[in-house]
Every structure is written in C-alpha cells, then in structure tokens.
Amino acid sequence: MTRPLIIAIDGPAASGKGTLAKRIAAHYGLRYLDTGTLYRAVARDVLAANGDLRDAVAATAVARNLDPDTLDDPFLRDRGVGEAASIVARIPEVRDTILQYQRDFAATPPGAVIDGRDIGTIVCPDASAKLFVTATLQERARRRYHELRAKTFDVTRDQVEGEIRNRDRRDLEREVAPLAQAEDAVLLETTDLDIEAAFQAALLAIEGLLER
Ligand code: CDP
C-alpha cells in the first residue's frame, strides 16, 4: 500500500495557514484538517457547560466527548473562542486526547493536509512535507481585522493586535507542544505575499520537499 501523503502546516495565529492549507489540499486531492478547530470546539463545549477553561479534568472530559460533526459550527471562528482555545490547549491531557484523532485523520488514505501549531513537531513528525507559515504581527492583525469586520464584529485593529500577541505568547511559552518550526520545515514568510503568491511559493516548497 502506498504511504499516505501528509503535508503539515504550522504557524502563529492568523498567519493564513488555513486558507493556504485548503488550497493545497484541493490541489493534491487530499483531505484537510484544521486542528485549531478541535481546540476551539473543546473551549466552546467547556464554556457551554459553564465550566472553567483551566480545569484539566473538566476540559479533558469534554475533549473525550467531542463530536466531530460539530466542527463546522461558525461560532468556532468567533473572536473570543480563539483566546479560550489557547487556554484549554495548554492542558497536556486535552492535547493527548486529541492527538490520536489527528493521527488517525492523517493516516487515512490518500492522506491529508493538516494545519496547527505542533503538526510537524508532535502530531506528524514523519510528514512528507512540512511548512511553517508566518507574517509580521502587524500584517497578521491586519488580515484578522478584515476577516472579523467582514462579519460585522465591533472591534478595533489595536484590540485584534493585542489579542493575537497574547495568544502567540501563550502558544509559544506553553510547556507541552508549543508553537515551533520543525527542523525539517520550510519557512514561508508571507508578509509581502498575497494569497495567490503565497500558494505558488508553498507549492514550490512542497514539490522540493517531496522530491528529496
Ligand atoms: O485560526 P487561528 O490561527 O487564529 O487559530 P487556530 O489555528 O484556530 O487555533 C486556535 C488556538 O488553538 C491556538 O491559539 C492554539 O492555542 C490552539 N492550537 C494548538 O494548541 N495546537 C494546534 N495544533 C492548533 C491550535
């Protein structure tokens, strides 16, 4: 049996990984998993039960009962949910619970494009190709601000920038599976690239990695 093709895409908040990953998945005919959605869904379900986001026992129980059919809930993209997700994402037992789901998804033929923070380092260290997508804080804040405003959220650019800075700090500094570029990942700096240019640069990098 041919090995599933796994493309790991990591990077900080609002770096454009999701948009890129979806296009790459379509290009190669692969399935796509946005792992941030899993942490966002755990946070949503903890809050819905009036639980405490820092309560490891409660959050882990919620993670074990996560219903994959609820992952397309538009509420998961709400502003506060990303922040809440980065709080539950620090809990090792929550990460362990979600780990197998992600690995099973990746291993299912024909393979997958998976985006997150720890895909190249922890979830799929043997991925066929790894990218680390980034952009300056100001550019990421600008992109997320426009995304939120399109949904008519009442928010300022400064608020968005502050929230992204907080979340980056939490993701970089946590003890388990922090946001990190895998040693064998290609860095894609997208500050000056539009979506099409970033997509072309990503394809070029992936083709180079697959040829090795
Ligand atoms: O879309 P955006 O970049 O804003 O965030 P996301 O990818 O939906 O992730 C939301 C939060 O989930 C992140 O800030 C991380 O704290 C957490 N996360 C994680 O810890 N590990 C992953 N593989 C993916 C997300």
Side-chain angles (χ1 to χ4, degrees):
M1 209 178 75
T2 50
R3 201 170 140 233
L5 179 62
I6 299 171
I7 300 177
I9 304 189
D10 290 303
S15 56
K17 328 176 276 300
T19 309
L20 263 184
K22 264 181 235 153
R23 286 196 59 176
I24 293 165
H27 179 83
Y28 288 104
L30 297 170
R31 294 147 61 251
Y32 166 58
L33 179 64
D34 166 4
T35 61
T37 302
L38 301 171
Y39 295 96
R40 286 171 182 265
V42 172
R44 171 200 60 196
D45 293 354
V46 169
L47 292 173
N50 283 324
D52 175 353
L53 294 167
R54 290 175 177 79
D55 178 346
V57 174
T60 307
V62 162
R64 288 206 182 101
N65 289 312
L66 203 60
D67 178 357
D69 288 340
T70 66
L71 296 177
D72 54 4
D73 174 3
F75 172 67
L76 294 180
R77 298 304 312 165
D78 260 28
R79 213 174 120 208
V81 182
E83 174 97 11
S86 70
I87 298 174
V88 295
R90 287 195 302 207
I91 302 172
E93 297 86 347
V94 166
R95 304 198 71 88
D96 274 352
T97 306
I98 288 176
L99 186 61
Q100 200 53 46
Y101 175 84
Q102 297 172 85
R103 288 191 174 152
D104 289 345
F105 189 97
T108 304
V113 179
I114 307 201
D115 83 45
R117 304 289 186 287
D118 59 341
I119 310 306
T121 50
I122 308 281
V123 179
C124 301
D126 297 329
S128 325
K130 301 178 187 177
L131 297 182
F132 193 84
V133 180
T134 190
T136 60
L137 172 66
Q138 291 70 23
E139 174 60 14
R140 290 185 286 120
R142 191 190 68 76
R143 293 175 189 170
R144 181 55 46 93
Y145 174 69
H146 286 293
E147 188 186 324
L148 291 170
R149 288 302 287 233
K151 291 191 250 179
T152 70
F153 281 113
D154 189 15
V155 66
T156 68
R157 265 246 351 226
D158 283 352
Q159 281 171 325
V160 174
E161 190 172 310
E163 286 165 9
I164 290 182
R165 189 186 291 112
N166 277 342
R167 200 137 64 83
D168 281 355
R169 192 179 315 121
R170 220 177 262 139
D171 290 346
L172 284 163
E173 290 177 0
R174 71 172 169 236
E175 282 175 22
V176 271
L179 166 66
Q181 180 179 349
E183 268 181 23
D184 50 351
V186 167
L187 177 69
L188 199 65
E189 221 295 307
T190 67
T191 303
D192 296 322
L193 303 181
D194 63 15
I195 290 170
E196 186 56 33
F199 175 59
Q200 294 304 332
L203 283 188
L204 205 64
I206 292 167
E207 289 301 319
L209 291 165
L210 295 181
E211 271 169 20
R212 279 182 319 184

